Amino acid sequence: MFKKILIANRGEIACRVIKTARKMGISTVAIYSDADRHALHVEMADEAVHIGPPPASESYIVIDKVMDALKQTGAEAVHPGYGFLSENPKFAEALEAAGVAFIGPPKGAIEAMGDKITSKKIAAEADVNTVPGHMGLIEDAEEALKISEEIGFPVMLKASAGGGGKGMRIAWNAEEVREGFQASKNEAASSFGDDRMFIEKFVTQPRHIEIQVLCDSHGNGIYLGERECSIQRRNQKVIEEAPSPFLDAETRKAMGEQAVALAHAVGYSSAGTVEFIVDGDKNFYFLEMNTRLQVEHPVTELITGVDLVEQMIRVAAGEKLSLNQDDVTLTGWAMESRLYAEDPYRNFLPSIGRLVRYRPPVEVAAGPLLDKGKWQDEAEAGETAVRNDTGVYEGGEISMYYDPMIAKLCTWAPDRGAAIEAMRVALDSFELEGIGHNLPFLSAVMDHPKFVSGDMTTAFIAEEYPDGFEGVELEEAALRRIAASCAAMHRVAEIRRTRVSGRMDNHERRVGEDWVVSLQGISFEVSIDADRDGATVTFADGGSHRVSSGWTPGDALAVLNVDDETLVLKVGKVSGGFRIRNRGADLKVHVRTPRQAELALLMPEKLAADTSKMLLCPMPGLIVSVNVAEGDEVQEGQALCTVEAMKMENILRAEKKALVTKINAGQGDSLAVDDVIMEFE
């Protein structure tokens, strides 16, 4: 076994590899750029080597710099994580030439599966289901119809040189093929100067389901169940789970066997993932193979008890797999939520800055580090588990140079419903301040009826949130529970205020029993009957809730018991009440005496500032270019400037015709959210 390995990566995956290496008694070497000098993976590793400036193109993906780090430290093997150099055959080749083990598949497998056309040909030769289609030239509509009938409707008519949706049509019957073929051909000719067409099966109700495979260099290979990855935004996975709520045992077995067959066909060894698109009738078709560890690997580890990183290291050291297919059992259900530094209220634009507060929920018996027997015992006992894979810490910074992922929050439970509920509580318990993040959106998805039913496709986010995410409005039953909790919490705070020292004599303050709680545009009149164990909060209509907790004023997290059910609230202070965040909702809750509530109704509502004549910076970023000058008349849709953040360039355009009167920022300026870039008349 290796004595020392280098991790050619950063962030949460580097920390994840270090944990397993430490368990195995293997020393670790971290590499880091200027931006990561104080990163968590650097602190966790036994050694660390500086490799250059912040941009990955000048540090993490420069093969020569990684090779220099290997020479300095004498590491015997390299784990590439995911991204960066993980699927670069030149890196695997350089390691082989230097006599250093690559903790990943052979170079040939990386090359074969990295080319989409080659990989599909290999898959077809290995009897792996591929999307039926005709890639040759098609002369006319009649030939197109004949091919379509052989493939089976619906079909996708696609321009060979297509892009941006041009030259592409879905045909559900013969008439639509005849009409659509010529129209697509004409579109392709005018848009690309190339009218070649091909046809492939259109997959209806598509789900993205992938199979985890594990192979050694001795010809052994197994699959470890599947992962459901259909909750995606712009092809970026957001929530994953294992197993899939859609597959049955027969389909799982068929997909698994085909995935292993493909791995054998390319001489694969190590952990890898074969991705499939699955239609509503459980027909599955090969998409691609990822020749590395997947971001979402923890959910597979949670239901199998297999440490995939450990298996990768052992395979790279030449060991045979210690498992065969009959040893693989799927226990319980696991969920993963990807926590990103993306602001869902600003169309998921990236957010950077310091983590003023970072308190993930406490990890509970989570991961393959438990022995399999104990894991199954806990499943039978109905226990749940929480795991948080992360590469950040409180006080650290989210850099503009790298992927916006902050953490991967995972839950495990004996069944899917319990795993979802555990995730809801874990998300509510996750304290994160200082940057924009997608915690509210993740909470909203966990409560969405379509997700809860398991009846989702890859179009879930596009269909259910077509106009973006604008927060959550809670139902009245949830509001009443929160109102009762806030009334009880307010009473605790009021009692503390009555005990302040230095009071004037004969000015004793009495805390009343009657209050009005206002939230989400609704007001509830309540009365509180408190005792040593908690408080009974009774509403004007006679309904009541029993509330107890150990919350004290100043606590940012309140874990309450409401009618013998746990309620977790993130708590902030606002004048006359609380800022409460729960299940994706962000609420201002005011708790007032009846007289205060009466007077509050007479107060004028504060209007938001008028920013309609300003161009505000939508995210922290760098001005790459300004495309207009003071005095210019701009038209609707005209490019005004370009802002770069997290290596993504965002073009800001005029919303209407206007005259530029003032420009406040220029090329190279670094701006914060809502800084005024320019003003209009």
mmCIF file of all heavy atoms in Angstrom, residues 490-510:
data_model
loop_
_atom_site.group_PDB
_atom_site.id
_atom_site.type_symbol
_atom_site.label_atom_id
_atom_site.label_comp_id
_atom_site.label_asym_id
_atom_site.label_seq_id
_atom_site.Cartn_x
_atom_site.Cartn_y
_atom_site.Cartn_z
ATOM 1 N N HIS A 490 -40.753 35.559 22.047
ATOM 2 C CA HIS A 490 -40.839 36.980 22.392
ATOM 3 C C HIS A 490 -41.105 37.158 23.888
ATOM 4 O O HIS A 490 -40.532 38.055 24.526
ATOM 5 C CB HIS A 490 -41.952 37.642 21.581
ATOM 6 C CG HIS A 490 -42.061 39.123 21.798
ATOM 7 N ND1 HIS A 490 -41.162 40.018 21.257
ATOM 8 C CD2 HIS A 490 -42.954 39.856 22.519
ATOM 9 C CE1 HIS A 490 -41.508 41.243 21.622
ATOM 10 N NE2 HIS A 490 -42.597 41.169 22.384
ATOM 11 N N ARG A 491 -41.940 36.293 24.433
ATOM 12 C CA ARG A 491 -42.218 36.374 25.864
ATOM 13 C C ARG A 491 -40.943 36.144 26.682
ATOM 14 O O ARG A 491 -40.678 36.840 27.665
ATOM 15 C CB ARG A 491 -43.283 35.340 26.254
ATOM 16 C CG ARG A 491 -43.613 35.325 27.737
ATOM 17 C CD ARG A 491 -44.623 34.247 28.083
ATOM 18 N NE ARG A 491 -44.816 34.210 29.532
ATOM 19 C CZ ARG A 491 -44.011 33.590 30.379
ATOM 20 N NH1 ARG A 491 -42.947 32.936 29.912
ATOM 21 N NH2 ARG A 491 -44.246 33.612 31.674
ATOM 22 N N VAL A 492 -40.137 35.170 26.262
ATOM 23 C CA VAL A 492 -38.862 34.910 26.945
ATOM 24 C C VAL A 492 -37.971 36.146 26.894
ATOM 25 O O VAL A 492 -37.348 36.536 27.895
ATOM 26 C CB VAL A 492 -38.152 33.706 26.296
ATOM 27 C CG1 VAL A 492 -36.715 33.566 26.818
ATOM 28 C CG2 VAL A 492 -38.926 32.421 26.555
ATOM 29 N N ALA A 493 -37.908 36.785 25.700
ATOM 30 C CA ALA A 493 -37.085 37.984 25.546
ATOM 31 C C ALA A 493 -37.621 39.134 26.395
ATOM 32 O O ALA A 493 -36.844 39.895 26.995
ATOM 33 C CB ALA A 493 -37.032 38.382 24.074
ATOM 34 N N GLU A 494 -38.939 39.272 26.469
ATOM 35 C CA GLU A 494 -39.542 40.340 27.271
ATOM 36 C C GLU A 494 -39.239 40.151 28.758
ATOM 37 O O GLU A 494 -38.939 41.103 29.468
ATOM 38 C CB GLU A 494 -41.058 40.375 27.043
ATOM 39 C CG GLU A 494 -41.471 41.020 25.735
ATOM 40 C CD GLU A 494 -41.255 42.518 25.767
ATOM 41 O OE1 GLU A 494 -42.089 43.232 26.356
ATOM 42 O OE2 GLU A 494 -40.232 42.986 25.225
ATOM 43 N N ILE A 495 -39.321 38.906 29.230
ATOM 44 C CA ILE A 495 -39.022 38.631 30.642
ATOM 45 C C ILE A 495 -37.579 39.007 30.952
ATOM 46 O O ILE A 495 -37.275 39.610 31.993
ATOM 47 C CB ILE A 495 -39.290 37.152 30.976
ATOM 48 C CG1 ILE A 495 -40.796 36.886 30.968
ATOM 49 C CG2 ILE A 495 -38.686 36.767 32.328
ATOM 50 C CD1 ILE A 495 -41.177 35.433 31.093
ATOM 51 N N ARG A 496 -36.660 38.694 30.033
ATOM 52 C CA ARG A 496 -35.262 39.075 30.257
ATOM 53 C C ARG A 496 -35.144 40.594 30.341
ATOM 54 O O ARG A 496 -34.402 41.121 31.190
ATOM 55 C CB ARG A 496 -34.380 38.542 29.132
ATOM 56 C CG ARG A 496 -32.955 39.083 29.195
ATOM 57 C CD ARG A 496 -32.026 38.442 28.193
ATOM 58 N NE ARG A 496 -31.630 37.121 28.622
ATOM 59 C CZ ARG A 496 -30.626 36.443 28.068
ATOM 60 N NH1 ARG A 496 -29.943 36.976 27.075
ATOM 61 N NH2 ARG A 496 -30.317 35.242 28.501
ATOM 62 N N ARG A 497 -35.875 41.314 29.479
ATOM 63 C CA ARG A 497 -35.778 42.777 29.493
ATOM 64 C C ARG A 497 -36.313 43.371 30.794
ATOM 65 O O ARG A 497 -35.871 44.427 31.231
ATOM 66 C CB ARG A 497 -36.513 43.364 28.282
ATOM 67 C CG ARG A 497 -35.743 43.192 26.974
ATOM 68 C CD ARG A 497 -36.382 43.954 25.827
ATOM 69 N NE ARG A 497 -37.476 43.223 25.211
ATOM 70 C CZ ARG A 497 -37.333 42.393 24.194
ATOM 71 N NH1 ARG A 497 -36.137 42.174 23.680
ATOM 72 N NH2 ARG A 497 -38.378 41.777 23.672
ATOM 73 N N THR A 498 -37.280 42.708 31.431
ATOM 74 C CA THR A 498 -37.815 43.242 32.698
ATOM 75 C C THR A 498 -36.814 43.114 33.836
ATOM 76 O O THR A 498 -36.949 43.773 34.864
ATOM 77 C CB THR A 498 -39.110 42.504 33.109
ATOM 78 O OG1 THR A 498 -38.797 41.140 33.407
ATOM 79 C CG2 THR A 498 -40.167 42.596 32.036
ATOM 80 N N ARG A 499 -35.812 42.253 33.662
ATOM 81 C CA ARG A 499 -34.850 42.007 34.733
ATOM 82 C C ARG A 499 -33.590 42.855 34.609
ATOM 83 O O ARG A 499 -32.603 42.612 35.288
ATOM 84 C CB ARG A 499 -34.465 40.522 34.737
ATOM 85 C CG ARG A 499 -35.633 39.625 35.114
ATOM 86 C CD ARG A 499 -35.294 38.163 34.927
ATOM 87 N NE ARG A 499 -36.422 37.308 35.304
ATOM 88 C CZ ARG A 499 -36.529 36.025 34.988
ATOM 89 N NH1 ARG A 499 -35.569 35.443 34.273
ATOM 90 N NH2 ARG A 499 -37.588 35.318 35.365
ATOM 91 N N VAL A 500 -33.611 43.834 33.694
ATOM 92 C CA VAL A 500 -32.441 44.680 33.510
ATOM 93 C C VAL A 500 -32.136 45.430 34.811
ATOM 94 O O VAL A 500 -33.038 45.863 35.537
ATOM 95 C CB VAL A 500 -32.669 45.660 32.339
ATOM 96 C CG1 VAL A 500 -33.771 46.649 32.650
ATOM 97 C CG2 VAL A 500 -31.378 46.391 31.991
ATOM 98 N N SER A 501 -30.860 45.550 35.111
ATOM 99 C CA SER A 501 -30.471 46.235 36.357
ATOM 100 C C SER A 501 -30.565 47.750 36.189
ATOM 101 O O SER A 501 -30.624 48.267 35.073
ATOM 102 C CB SER A 501 -29.041 45.838 36.741
ATOM 103 O OG SER A 501 -28.152 46.189 35.701
ATOM 104 N N GLY A 502 -30.566 48.479 37.305
ATOM 105 C CA GLY A 502 -30.579 49.938 37.278
ATOM 106 C C GLY A 502 -31.948 50.536 37.030
ATOM 107 O O GLY A 502 -32.069 51.695 36.620
ATOM 108 N N ARG A 503 -33.023 49.776 37.307
ATOM 109 C CA ARG A 503 -34.374 50.306 37.092
ATOM 110 C C ARG A 503 -34.723 51.326 38.175
ATOM 111 O O ARG A 503 -34.226 51.264 39.299
ATOM 112 C CB ARG A 503 -35.404 49.182 37.139
ATOM 113 C CG ARG A 503 -35.305 48.181 36.003
ATOM 114 C CD ARG A 503 -36.261 47.043 36.217
ATOM 115 N NE ARG A 503 -36.046 46.414 37.535
ATOM 116 C CZ ARG A 503 -36.644 45.320 37.939
ATOM 117 N NH1 ARG A 503 -37.524 44.741 37.151
ATOM 118 N NH2 ARG A 503 -36.395 44.814 39.119
ATOM 119 N N MET A 504 -35.641 52.230 37.811
ATOM 120 C CA MET A 504 -36.151 53.172 38.813
ATOM 121 C C MET A 504 -37.085 52.430 39.762
ATOM 122 O O MET A 504 -37.783 51.495 39.366
ATOM 123 C CB MET A 504 -36.931 54.304 38.122
ATOM 124 C CG MET A 504 -36.062 55.205 37.251
ATOM 125 S SD MET A 504 -37.036 56.452 36.389
ATOM 126 C CE MET A 504 -37.695 57.389 37.773
ATOM 127 N N ASP A 505 -37.072 52.840 40.996
ATOM 128 C CA ASP A 505 -37.983 52.236 41.968
ATOM 129 C C ASP A 505 -39.428 52.463 41.537
ATOM 130 O O ASP A 505 -39.773 53.486 40.942
ATOM 131 C CB ASP A 505 -37.758 52.856 43.350
ATOM 132 C CG ASP A 505 -36.416 52.443 43.935
ATOM 133 O OD1 ASP A 505 -35.870 51.427 43.458
ATOM 134 O OD2 ASP A 505 -35.918 53.145 44.832
ATOM 135 N N ASN A 506 -40.278 51.500 41.888
ATOM 136 C CA ASN A 506 -41.718 51.587 41.611
ATOM 137 C C ASN A 506 -42.037 51.637 40.110
ATOM 138 O O ASN A 506 -43.076 52.155 39.715
ATOM 139 C CB ASN A 506 -42.336 52.805 42.308
ATOM 140 C CG ASN A 506 -42.130 52.762 43.798
ATOM 141 O OD1 ASN A 506 -42.261 51.705 44.417
ATOM 142 N ND2 ASN A 506 -41.775 53.902 44.386
ATOM 143 N N HIS A 507 -41.104 51.134 39.292
ATOM 144 C CA HIS A 507 -41.366 51.061 37.853
ATOM 145 C C HIS A 507 -41.226 49.614 37.383
ATOM 146 O O HIS A 507 -40.465 49.295 36.492
ATOM 147 C CB HIS A 507 -40.408 51.978 37.076
ATOM 148 C CG HIS A 507 -40.798 53.418 37.144
ATOM 149 N ND1 HIS A 507 -40.608 54.175 38.262
ATOM 150 C CD2 HIS A 507 -41.405 54.224 36.218
ATOM 151 C CE1 HIS A 507 -41.045 55.413 38.048
ATOM 152 N NE2 HIS A 507 -41.541 55.467 36.803
ATOM 153 N N GLU A 508 -41.957 48.764 38.054
ATOM 154 C CA GLU A 508 -41.949 47.339 37.697
ATOM 155 C C GLU A 508 -42.676 47.141 36.366
ATOM 156 O O GLU A 508 -43.756 47.698 36.155
ATOM 157 C CB GLU A 508 -42.651 46.535 38.791
ATOM 158 C CG GLU A 508 -42.435 45.041 38.692
ATOM 159 C CD GLU A 508 -41.043 44.624 39.133
ATOM 160 O OE1 GLU A 508 -40.424 45.359 39.916
ATOM 161 O OE2 GLU A 508 -40.591 43.561 38.676
ATOM 162 N N ARG A 509 -42.074 46.378 35.457
ATOM 163 C CA ARG A 509 -42.680 46.146 34.150
ATOM 164 C C ARG A 509 -43.311 44.763 34.130
ATOM 165 O O ARG A 509 -42.668 43.782 34.481
ATOM 166 C CB ARG A 509 -41.608 46.253 33.065
ATOM 167 C CG ARG A 509 -42.156 46.109 31.657
ATOM 168 C CD ARG A 509 -41.031 46.294 30.665
ATOM 169 N NE ARG A 509 -41.453 45.972 29.319
ATOM 170 C CZ ARG A 509 -40.642 45.843 28.287
ATOM 171 N NH1 ARG A 509 -39.356 46.007 28.453
ATOM 172 N NH2 ARG A 509 -41.101 45.546 27.090
ATOM 173 N N ARG A 510 -44.552 44.708 33.713
ATOM 174 C CA ARG A 510 -45.262 43.434 33.684
ATOM 175 C C ARG A 510 -45.366 42.935 32.243
ATOM 176 O O ARG A 510 -45.694 43.689 31.330
ATOM 177 C CB ARG A 510 -46.661 43.608 34.278
ATOM 178 C CG ARG A 510 -47.469 42.312 34.294
ATOM 179 C CD ARG A 510 -48.847 42.520 34.935
ATOM 180 N NE ARG A 510 -49.650 41.313 34.813
ATOM 181 C CZ ARG A 510 -50.367 40.996 33.743
ATOM 182 N NH1 ARG A 510 -50.374 41.818 32.692
ATOM 183 N NH2 ARG A 510 -51.078 39.886 33.713
#
